[in-house]
Every structure is written in C-alpha cells, then in structure tokens.
Amino acid sequence: MTTHAKATADLRLACIQFQPAIGRLDDNLKAMERLIRQAAGLGASVAVLPELADSGYVFDSQDELAALAAPIPDGRSAMLLCSLANELNLHIVSGLAECDSDQFFNAAMLCGPSGPIGTYRKLHLWNREKLYFQPGNLGLPVFDTAIGRIGVAICYDGWFPETYRQLALKGAELVCVPTNWVPMPAQGHHPEPMANILHKAAAHSNGIYIACADRVGTERGQPFVGRSLIVGPTGWPIAGPASEAGEEILIATINLGDVAKARALSERNDAIGDRRSDVYG
Amino acid sequence: MTTHAKATADLRLACIQFQPAIGRLDDNLKAMERLIRQAAGLGASVAVLPELADSGYVFDSQDELAALAAPIPDGRSAMLLCSLANELNLHIVSGLAECDSDQFFNAAMLCGPSGPIGTYRKLHLWNREKLYFQPGNLGLPVFDTAIGRIGVAICYDGWFPETYRQLALKGAELVCVPTNWVPMPAQGHHPEPMANILHKAAAHSNGIYIACADRVGTERGQPFVGRSLIVGPTGWPIAGPASEAGEEILIATINLGDVAKARALSERNDAIGDRRSDVYG
C-alpha cells in the first residue's frame, strides 16, 4: 500500500484476435507476425495471442498434432516470437502446440525483448484435447518480468476459480489468457458469452488485470465465439469485448500499480486480505 | 449420473426483496411474516430473506445491535420463522442478528416444517460490520434437508470464490444468500451490479443453484442495490434480477437434479471433476 519495489508505469497491452487455420503453420505464423507488428505499431509493449495460434485447434489425429507441434523455446514458432519480441521491444504471450520428446502440451510461451521467459502448460483440458494432449505439469507459474508479475492461463483453465486465485496469491498482477472459447452448452440466446462473465468476476474477486485473446471462425464444424476482452482489476472491461467473428486488435492502457487500489473495496476491506484461509486453506 | 438417492422433484423457490428498517424489530418481523405468507401463497416451498432482515443493517453502536440481536433458534425472530415454516410447510433461510452469550454474529438460520435445521455465521465481514460482529466460526456447513442439500452464504462471502467452491465440494446443490449488497467502489455507470456477475460466474463454475435475496432502500446514508437474483446451475438467471428499489418476490421453479447435468459441460468434461486438486488442493 506504500511504495512498491518497482515503479509502476503505464503499459499498452494488446489482445490479438484472429483466425488460425488448422494445419497451416506457415500461414498462421505469417498472420501472427503481421498482427504482432501491427500491435507494436499501436504502441503495445505486451501482446497476447490465442490458444494454439500456430497450429489451429481441431485436430483429426495424433499424427496431425505431431506434425505441427514443436519444442518451446527452440521450435520454429517460439523462435519467431522471441525474435519479434526482441526486434519490437515487446513482451509476447502466445498459445502454441508444444512437443517435449514424445509428449504434447497445449502450451503458452511468454517471451520478452531479452528472450524466452517461461512456459505454461494448460492444466484443464477441454473435450477432445484429452485425446491428444497431456494435462499441464508445470503448475501455475508467475513470471517476474521487467514490466510486472505475469501469470498465464489457457481457455478452460478460466472455468476454475482456483486458477486466478492461485495466480493472484502468488503475486500475479496481470494474467494473460490465450484462448479458443467455444459456445457453452447453455449459452442459448444470451448475448454475453459466459466466458466474459467468468473473467469479469475473476478480475474483480482477485483485483488483477486479465487479458483474453480469443480466436474466431469455424474449424471442422467447431465454432469459436470471439469476444476477446481486457478486464481491469475492478472487474470491468477496459477494452472489448471484441466482435464475434472479426480479426481485431484490442488495446488498453494498464497500470499494474492499480492492483492494490482495486483490492481495497472499502476502508476496512481487502479482496485478498479478507480471505478466511483458516476455513478453506 | 445414474440414479439419485433422493428423487428430485420440482420446487418453487422464492427470494424476498424488501426494506428492513434499522432498529424496528416489530415492523420488520411483520413485513417478513407478510411476505413469507405471500411467497407460500405463490406456491413456494423454499423462501430466502435478506441479511439482517430482522434488525436492519447500519448500526450506530454496539449497544444498538445488542438491543436487537437474539439467540438462534430460541430468540423471537427465529421462533417466528420456525412457526411460519411449520404452519406453511416451507423451508426458510433468513439473515438474522444473532447473539450468543456476549458475542454477536451476522447470521442466517435455516428452518423447515419440522423446526430449526441449522445456523450459518457470516465468514467475511464487510466494512463497519467488523466493529460490531465477530467473524463467523461455524465454517461453511451444508445442510442435508428433505428437499436437498442446502448451503448458506451472506453478502460479501460471495466475493470469495472459495465460498461457493467449498459448499459445492461439500455437496451443496442450492446456496441461499441473504444479502445487503452495497454499490462497489468502481460500479460507476455500469448497469449490472458486480454482485450479479459474481453470482452468475459462481453458479456456472460450480454447477449449483444460487438464490440471492437482497434488501432495498437507503439506511443512514447507505444505499443498497436491490437486484435480487436466482441463478440456475448453468450460470444463467432463472428469475430476476429484481428491481433496484422495490419490494418484490422472485419465484423460480428449480430441480436440484439438474446440478449433475449442468456440470457436464461437454461429453468429456465435468466442472467439478476436472479440478486439478493436485495443483491447488
């Protein structure tokens, strides 16, 4: 509540919503590079891209995934992102199809101007992902970067309030969320996707920034909902929701120093400090 | 997913939104009785009333609270509710100001046609409540009743995702929430109160029914937001939100058998079963 170890500067954060195509690695990497350059041109110092941005999402077989997945940070997609982060003086978080010897992960890499910073592997696998990927085995890391403490979650991870709570308790100020949101079974005609509601609630309850970069389009019959969103630590959107179907870059100016302020819900309350860990751990 | 121990019947659930007045116990009990009778007349078999429905909310002093609070289930308010539950064949959950020897709790009683079932004491105290009440010391009980497994939370408890998660893990199918929601500091001109967003997210993430009965009016300068809400286990409202300022009874037909169905988010996913307790306990 008094002075912070790090000065808290305003940052421009970009969430890149686009349509990767299953199996078309070259095209996807080209689109990612084009949009990352565009985000940098808009002044972004952090860019978030969707889940499995390099490979596409709806795999037909393990072999198809195996042909697309690559190591992090030494594979082709990861190396391209690191090189762009260096050239453009950016931090980048992107979903990538990762292979680690004979195992496959629905992963995300965080890299910065000086190179790779860390990898997150999706903990909670959605539907047919369970056929092709191993569940994440790296826990919920928080990366202490030059611009602040950054956590990563991927799509269905956000359905579990524990994800954001654990990241907040470990000091995350910003959680970057590469995602491929699909319609929920009970979405019906409700105009706001449940995914947006979950992330407003999570940002408010934890007093953190959450930046969700979704994909769009329909792939092998599976539609995605778009509606990328950047939420401030009070729980209200500060950019987006983006459109349902269009390629789009959301930009928000954030200040990670606002996290402590947002948690002070009244003169006697703190959204994290008031936890009853004696009751629920 | 197969047969349940209990047959799951449709139930009519009522959330009673009204305006208690600080210190006017007689008037408040009269209003509670009138509205409970009205809810029963509408076919309700469960009725939820606001936080501190008998006493009002904005105490000026400890002495003022001491003059209003009473034991549960042997005090005047609790005995009236038990008698109505018996006469009308209802389950009732109501917020009450409780005294237990020299300690005061922001509590809620659950009673049914056969008498008192249990007490919950608010775990997370909001702002000036910290001056007058002890924090709850009964944990997060789930009551196994003739109509289903019922948990209770009060107002600011709902800001902590752990509250609903713990209740769901302990088997709650319906959480009744007596509340006195106040505007959040960053509410601004957003039309939907953050409280509504939090409870849609909690119901969806846990696949439970949540029934919030709020108060209305302004008391000693403190406004309340109304907007009582009954949310189904898919996370979407099934009654309400109620108005901001009016006395109102929300009615929804619920079936606690829907909880298991709502959690099956895809053919390979379960909102509770997919938890990574190996990572976050």
Side-chain angles (χ1 to χ4, degrees):
Chain A
M1 302 290 286
T2 53
T3 50
H4 282 266
K6 279 175 192 163
T8 50
D10 282 354
L11 297 174
R12 301 258 288 173
L13 167 73
C15 277
I16 294 174
Q17 173 171 299
F18 81 109
Q19 179 168 355
I22 182 73
R24 294 168 59 178
L25 194 60
D26 287 351
D27 291 344
N28 295 338
L29 292 178
K30 261 183 226 157
M32 291 160 72
E33 175 168 352
R34 171 175 58 80
L35 290 160
I36 289 168
R37 289 187 182 282
Q38 201 176 322
L42 294 166
S45 55
V46 188
V48 186
L49 291 101
E51 178 180 7
L52 296 171
D54 59 342
S55 61
Y57 182 80
V58 185
F59 303 103
D60 263 347
S61 69
Q62 189 77 51
D63 285 348
E64 184 178 37
L65 169 58
L68 295 164
I72 296 175
D74 299 322
R76 179 174 164 202
S77 305
M79 286 173 67
L80 171 67
L81 295 175
C82 289
S83 142
L84 288 168
N86 176 264
E87 178 196 332
L88 303 168
N89 195 33
L90 269 178
H91 284 73
I92 300 175
V93 175
S94 179
L96 298 175
E98 181 192 15
C99 79
D100 181 10
S101 56
D102 59 343
Q103 295 198 303
F104 298 92
F105 297 97
N106 184 334
M109 181 182 66
L110 165 62
C111 60
S114 309
I117 294 171
T119 302
Y120 168 72
R121 291 170 171 169
K122 189 175 184 179
L123 286 177
H124 307 87
L125 297 178
W126 176 256
N127 209 348
R128 292 176 58 85
E129 295 170 33
K130 295 189 182 192
L131 305 180
Y132 305 125
F133 292 104
Q134 297 294 311
N137 58 1
L138 299 176
L140 286 162
V142 174
F143 303 105
D144 203 355
T145 75
I147 56 170
R149 291 185 291 271
I150 299 179
V152 182
I154 300 178
C155 198
Y156 186 47
D157 288 329
W159 268 242
F160 299 82
E162 293 91 344
T163 301
Y164 296 109
R165 185 58 111 200
Q166 289 289 314
L167 290 170
L169 291 174
K170 290 178 172 185
E173 299 160 321
L174 163 65
V175 180
C176 297
V177 185
T179 188
N180 280 187
W181 289 328
V182 300
M184 284 290 98
Q187 181 66 42
H189 297 291
H190 298 284
E192 185 177 24
M194 184 54 70
N196 283 185
I197 296 170
L198 295 177
H199 289 85
K200 292 191 289 189
H204 179 82
S205 282
N206 292 292
I208 52 174
Y209 285 94
I210 301 182
C212 306
D214 195 12
R215 65 161 288 167
V216 291
T218 294
E219 198 171 86
R220 293 178 174 161
Q222 173 64 61
F224 299 92
V225 306
R227 301 286 191 151
S228 296
L229 188 70
I230 306 175
V231 191
T234 60
W236 299 109
I238 53 175
S243 66
E244 235 178 276
E247 181 175 294
E248 201 166 327
I249 299 181
L250 294 181
I251 297 273
T253 299
I254 69 174
N255 190 312
L256 300 182
D258 291 344
V259 161
K261 266 179 279 175
R263 289 175 182 173
L265 294 171
S266 86
E267 58 177 316
R268 293 178 184 79
N269 290 99
D270 180 275
I272 296 291
D274 288 335
R275 291 179 70 249
R276 288 293 302 272
S277 51
D278 59 318
V279 174
Y280 42 68
Chain B
M1 302 292 286
T2 53
T3 49
H4 282 267
K6 279 174 189 162
T8 50
D10 281 355
L11 297 174
R12 301 260 287 172
L13 167 72
C15 277
I16 294 174
Q17 171 170 299
F18 81 111
Q19 178 167 358
I22 181 76
R24 294 170 58 178
L25 194 59
D26 289 350
D27 292 343
N28 295 338
L29 292 178
K30 259 182 226 157
M32 290 159 72
E33 177 169 350
R34 171 176 56 80
L35 290 159
I36 288 168
R37 288 188 182 281
Q38 202 175 318
L42 293 167
S45 54
V46 189
V48 187
L49 291 101
E51 179 180 6
L52 295 171
D54 60 341
S55 62
Y57 182 81
V58 184
F59 304 103
D60 263 348
S61 68
Q62 188 77 51
D63 286 349
E64 185 178 36
L65 169 60
L68 295 164
I72 297 175
D74 300 322
R76 179 174 165 204
S77 305
M79 286 172 67
L80 171 67
L81 294 175
C82 289
S83 142
L84 288 168
N86 176 263
E87 178 195 335
L88 302 168
N89 195 32
L90 267 179
H91 283 73
I92 300 176
V93 176
S94 179
L96 298 174
E98 180 192 15
C99 78
D100 181 10
S101 58
D102 60 344
Q103 295 198 303
F104 298 92
F105 296 97
N106 184 334
M109 181 181 66
L110 165 63
C111 61
S114 309
I117 295 171
T119 302
Y120 168 72
R121 292 169 171 170
K122 189 176 184 178
L123 287 176
H124 307 87
L125 297 177
W126 176 255
N127 210 346
R128 291 174 59 84
E129 294 169 33
K130 295 189 181 192
L131 304 179
Y132 305 126
F133 292 104
Q134 297 295 310
N137 57 1
L138 299 177
L140 285 163
V142 174
F143 304 105
D144 203 355
T145 76
I147 55 169
R149 292 185 291 270
I150 299 179
V152 182
I154 302 178
C155 199
Y156 186 47
D157 289 328
W159 268 242
F160 299 82
E162 292 91 343
T163 301
Y164 296 109
R165 185 59 110 198
Q166 289 288 313
L167 290 170
L169 290 175
K170 288 176 173 185
E173 299 160 321
L174 163 66
V175 180
C176 297
V177 185
T179 188
N180 280 187
W181 288 328
V182 300
M184 284 291 98
Q187 181 67 41
H189 298 290
H190 298 283
E192 185 176 23
M194 185 53 71
N196 283 186
I197 295 169
L198 294 176
H199 289 85
K200 292 191 289 188
H204 178 82
S205 282
N206 292 293
I208 51 175
Y209 286 94
I210 302 181
C212 305
D214 195 12
R215 66 161 288 167
V216 291
T218 294
E219 199 171 86
R220 293 177 175 161
Q222 174 64 62
F224 299 92
V225 306
R227 301 286 190 151
S228 296
L229 188 69
I230 306 176
V231 191
T234 59
W236 298 108
I238 52 174
S243 66
E244 235 178 275
E247 182 176 293
E248 201 165 327
I249 300 181
L250 294 181
I251 296 271
T253 299
I254 69 175
N255 190 311
L256 301 182
D258 291 343
V259 160
K261 265 179 280 176
R263 289 175 181 172
L265 294 170
S266 84
E267 57 176 318
R268 293 179 183 79
N269 290 101
D270 181 276
I272 297 292
D274 287 335
R275 291 178 70 250
R276 288 293 304 270
S277 52
D278 58 318
V279 174
Y280 43 69

